């Protein structure tokens, strides 16, 4: 009887020890993965990015599809280039709406700053400055009836979430300022306004 009681106690103690060991291994695994993702930022790196940006224009709603390449240096700063194109129709009044549609594209310099907190989230401050082309495009033969170039300036503030050691999900809010358009019945204000951006960055951070 005493031997059976002793065996039961030993089994209980062994089971408790195994349970604690399994829990410890699970916690260590999570800590290791978190450490790998949130390891100190590189002093130098590079990444490519693709983004979707709702384009709230005065007479239309569409999206800008874009991407870029940027180089990280001194852990905080990045400099690179970007480009994007507007996907949508502009509710214009100048020409017959079934024959022509408005498009625009832009490309230029992309620079910014990020914090280096050793956490999944990092705050960012960016600016994209480039030249944009606005044009009326004929639907049947893609002929541009009117076109002009303008300065596009877009400062923004956002947040990075590193969900893999080589991948970041980025979201930001900013303002698009356009200057220099000279097309009948179109003004800079038609293209200037609040911007929202969702981006994926892949690279060495």
């Amino acid at each position: 009887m005493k031997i059976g009681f002793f065996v039961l106690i030993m089994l209980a103690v062994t089971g408790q020890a195994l349970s604690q060991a399994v829990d410890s291994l699970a916690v260590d695994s999570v800590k290791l993965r978190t450490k790998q993702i949130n390891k100190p930022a590189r002093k130098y790196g590079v990444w490519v990015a693709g983004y979707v940006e709702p384009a709230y224009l005065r007479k239309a709603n569409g999206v800008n599809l874009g991407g870029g390449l940027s180089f990280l240096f001194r852990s905080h700063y990045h400099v690179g280039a970007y480009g994007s194109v507007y996907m949508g129709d502009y509710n214009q009044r100048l020409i017959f709406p079934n024959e022509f549609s408005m498009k625009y594209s832009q490309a230029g310099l992309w620079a910014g700053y990020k914090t280096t907190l050793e956490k999944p989230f990092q705050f960012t401050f960016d600016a994209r400055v480039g030249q944009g082309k606005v044009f009326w495009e004929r639907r049947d033969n893609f002929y541009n009836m009117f076109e002009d170039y303008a300065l596009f300036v877009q400062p923004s503030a956002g947040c990075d979430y590193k969900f893999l050691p080589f991948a970041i999900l980025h979201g930001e809010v900013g303002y698009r300022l356009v200057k220099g358009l000279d097309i009948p019945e179109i003004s800079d204000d038609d293209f200037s306004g609040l911007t929202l951006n969702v981006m994926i960055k892949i690279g060495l951070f």
Side-chain angles (χ1 to χ4, degrees), residues 55-59 90 102 104 106 130-136 147-154 175-195:
Y56 300 111
L57 305 180
R58 179 169 293 186
K59 301 176 184 178
Y90 192 76
M102 191 285 305
Y104 75 85
Q106 56 175 310
Q131 185 181 61
K133 177 183 178 181
V134 179
F135 52 95
W136 295 104
E147 64 179 32
D148 194 24
Y149 293 88
L151 175 67
F152 281 66
V153 179
Q154 189 168 323
Y175 188 85
R176 181 177 57 248
L177 178 66
V178 178
K179 289 293 183 182
L181 281 179
D182 184 18
I183 295 179
E185 295 195 15
I186 293 180
S187 71
D188 296 332
D189 293 337
D190 290 335
F191 297 87
S192 301
L194 184 70
T195 63

Side-chain angles (χ1 to χ4, degrees), residues 36-50 68-78 110 114-117 119-120 122 124 160-170 199-205:
Q36 289 175 341
I37 292 177
N38 303 330
K39 60 185 178 182
R42 294 172 176 268
K43 289 187 177 181
Y44 301 94
V46 61
W47 71 82
V48 294
L69 170 69
S70 197
F71 296 91
L72 174 71
F73 61 98
R74 297 185 64 182
S75 301
H76 293 276
Y77 308 94
H78 76 88
W110 179 22
K114 73 178 182 68
T115 61
T116 55
L117 300 176
K119 296 180 179 180
Q122 297 177 332
T124 65
D160 280 350
Y161 173 64
K162 186 189 289 185
F163 61 95
L164 290 172
F166 57 86
I168 284 177
L169 176 64
H170 174 79
M199 182 183 302
I200 292 289
K201 302 176 183 177
I202 303 294
L204 302 174
F205 306 102

Side-chain angles (χ1 to χ4, degrees), residues 52-57 60-64 86-89:
V52 177
E53 181 181 88
Y56 300 111
L57 305 180
N61 290 320
V63 295
N64 287 326
Y86 173 74
M87 306 297 292
D89 286 330

